[in-house]
Amino acid sequence: MRTFRRSPRRAAGRRTPLRLLAVLFGAAVLTTACSAGGTDDGPVTIRFSWWGNEERARATNQAIDAFEAANPGITVQGESIDYNSYFDRLATSVAAGDEPDVITMGGAYPREYADRGVLLDLAEVSGQLDLTALDEGALANANFDNIQYGVPTGVNTFGVLANPALFAAAGVPLPDDNTWSWEDYARIATEISAKSPAGTFGSEDPTAPDTLDLYANQKTGQGLYSPAGGIAIQPGTVQEWWNLTTGLMSTGATPPASVTAELAGQPAPEQTLLGRGLAAMKFGWSNLLPAYRQASGADLIMLRAPGETTAQGTGMWLQASQLYTISKRSEHPEAAARLINFLVSDPRAADFIKTDRGIPANPDLRTHLESSLDENRKVEFDFINRMSGLVDGDFVIGPTGSTESVGIVNRINDSVLFGRVPPARAAEQLVAEITDAVS
């Protein structure tokens, strides 16, 4: 297992913006009287929320059944919600004082909710939740000010999902991803588009907070955010990025602005160009590779991001796929902790969940699952194992407000691609708006 240095952690504000109205949080009374305490004697019922599709819900409910069989005094009510609605609904339930006991989190959301006093310090339930076997680097994704607020469900990484069949059809060889540069990426994407049928592209537009973070780290050694809680990326780096992506669009390597705008907002894999067999490359998360393989019907692979060995340094990172947290107001924190402990450390849960929430952060479960992986998961598993020896593990969790970055980036990116705002002015605007969001 790779050893990670303890350092500030990188943001993953990569999803739908969190619309947390201050007035709603003001209405939520989060005081020490709401903190966990007491014991869970007798039959109790706890609520557990997560986002995802029907397949994830089915697997999770099977794991819940196994937990209830092993813990007959605890009943778990599962709440499965689609991703685009999940955090809006969570914000509303927190404001009403009715959030679930066990809350699935991701990206910068744990930091936001921890800063607002919503989440339980897991040291209070250490008797029911053993974290000693989990990877230290993954645990650090939810450790703020030396307080552990969440437990990683698994680990994944951000790179390039690629369709070798489209490369072959265009007569373009796959890159050596240990040596390719951003210039190579642009050349390859342009060549694939030129040699493919109309409507098929070398790459989807790559602009997102995660790619900006990765690109900035490679170029300057600092990503989107600073360890001090502000923004680190400079307008010059953002301008350089948009010069790259507008160049890609102008050569036909990526789709027209109208197509990119239509695809913004986290579409399902089957709705993306990659998932429909209309793009050879797309930046994305490794834990989504099986879903993209299923949607496309193609043997997709993962590539190391361009520029990892040709820029100033590496920009990729390993991250907790998702995090299980406990509401500070839970009336049954010990039962909630027992559920999380079962989900992340018990083979009976792993037999159902497998790698749906990322490659397990518990090495014992990785060993347990390795021999039973299907081909789709094996590709993901092998890529994570390979990357674990190549990334540096240092990343910065986005501060409160950083979850707004997705909406900001998408909106300004549309303006750039449609030619309404030049890259230089857009770069200044992006830095200013994200700075305001996190201030």
Side-chain angles (χ1 to χ4, degrees):
M1 183 193 308
R2 193 170 176 282
T3 300
F4 287 76
R5 297 189 296 275
R6 278 204 175 276
S7 61
R9 291 335 205 228
R10 173 188 307 264
R14 65 183 182 273
R15 306 291 193 189
T16 305
L18 183 59
R19 303 172 181 88
L20 299 179
L21 301 180
V23 65
L24 293 180
F25 271 99
V29 181
L30 300 177
T31 66
T32 54
C34 299
S35 62
T39 59
D40 293 327
D41 296 329
V44 300
T45 298
I46 58 174
R47 294 161 54 209
F48 167 32
S49 67
W50 68 89
W51 67 82
N53 57 19
E54 291 182 4
E55 181 179 354
R56 173 173 291 172
R58 180 168 55 254
T60 306
N61 283 321
Q62 289 173 319
I64 288 173
D65 290 342
F67 170 77
E68 290 178 335
N71 297 269
I74 304 174
T75 299
V76 180
Q77 293 180 351
E79 301 175 6
S80 177
I81 307 166
D82 71 276
Y83 188 88
N84 288 332
S85 303
Y86 182 83
F87 286 101
D88 285 335
R89 184 177 297 188
L90 178 60
T92 301
S93 66
V94 168
D98 188 39
E99 69 270 16
D101 299 271
V102 177
I103 308 167
T104 303
M105 292 277 188
Y109 291 106
R111 181 81 199 224
E112 291 211 4
Y113 279 101
D115 286 348
R116 291 182 166 96
V118 176
L119 304 181
L120 180 70
D121 176 354
L122 297 182
E124 297 187 27
V125 289
S126 58
Q128 293 75 37
L129 182 56
D130 182 4
L131 304 180
T132 56
L134 275 64
D135 180 77
E136 181 180 339
L139 281 168
N141 282 252
N143 189 296
F144 315 122
D145 301 321
N146 293 319
I147 298 175
Q148 193 70 39
Y149 288 104
V151 182
T153 67
V155 295
N156 61 7
T157 193
F158 189 74
V160 178
L161 292 82
N163 187 337
L166 292 186
F167 278 78
V172 178
L174 287 166
D176 178 353
D177 66 350
N178 282 320
T179 61
W180 70 330
S181 65
W182 285 100
E183 291 75 19
D184 293 328
Y185 161 76
R187 173 182 53 78
I188 290 168
T190 301
E191 188 176 357
I192 291 174
S193 290
K195 296 180 178 180
S196 299
T200 299
F201 302 93
S203 175
E204 296 193 28
D205 180 80
T207 303
D210 294 315
T211 43
L212 286 172
D213 198 23
L214 184 153
Y215 186 78
N217 262 291
Q218 289 179 347
K219 296 291 183 177
T220 69
Q222 293 189 89
L224 197 52
Y225 301 106
S226 71
I231 186 168
I233 197 169
Q234 297 298 308
T237 305
V238 183
Q239 179 182 350
E240 183 181 332
W241 172 260
W242 267 319
N243 287 338
L244 169 67
T245 62
T246 53
L248 289 170
M249 187 180 67
S250 67
T251 64
T254 56
S258 58
V259 175
T260 296
E262 182 181 347
L263 292 173
Q266 208 62 36
E270 60 271 15
Q271 296 172 322
T272 64
L273 296 180
L274 182 79
R276 290 153 54 195
L278 299 176
M281 294 183 287
K282 174 183 176 62
F283 279 82
W285 290 91
S286 58
N287 65 323
L288 293 177
L289 176 63
Y292 279 105
R293 285 172 66 103
Q294 182 175 359
S296 65
D299 294 331
L300 305 183
I301 61 172
M302 286 287 296
L303 299 173
R304 194 178 183 187
E308 285 291 279
T309 57
T310 60
Q312 298 300 312
T314 61
M316 291 178 65
W317 67 97
L318 288 181
Q319 173 156 329
S321 315
Q322 299 172 15
L323 293 153
Y324 294 133
T325 65
I326 298 176
S327 167
K328 192 174 183 180
R329 291 185 288 199
S330 173
E331 295 181 359
H332 307 293
E334 294 177 355
R338 288 190 183 100
L339 173 62
I340 294 175
N341 196 69
F342 185 86
L343 293 172
V344 300
S345 296
D346 197 300
R348 290 170 290 185
D351 286 339
F352 296 114
I353 296 174
K354 301 186 185 299
T355 57
D356 177 69
R357 287 173 168 84
I359 304 300
N362 187 323
D364 294 335
L365 294 193
R366 290 202 289 266
T367 301
H368 176 74
L369 290 175
E370 192 167 6
S371 63
S372 62
L373 296 173
D374 62 24
E375 183 60 28
N376 289 345
R377 292 297 180 187
K378 189 174 188 307
V379 174
E380 177 196 357
F381 200 100
D382 290 345
F383 186 72
I384 287 290
N385 283 341
R386 177 188 167 210
M387 289 302 102
S388 68
L390 297 174
V391 300
D392 65 13
D394 295 335
F395 42 93
V396 178
I397 285 289
T400 298
S402 61
T403 47
E404 298 296 333
S405 64
V406 176
I408 293 170
V409 170
N410 285 343
R411 174 169 44 78
I412 300 178
N413 189 51
D414 281 353
S415 295
V416 172
L417 296 183
F418 278 107
R420 295 191 291 263
V421 181
R425 183 150 58 90
E428 296 281 355
Q429 181 183 349
L430 180 101
V431 171
E433 290 197 22
I434 295 182
T435 298
D436 286 344
V438 302
S439 296

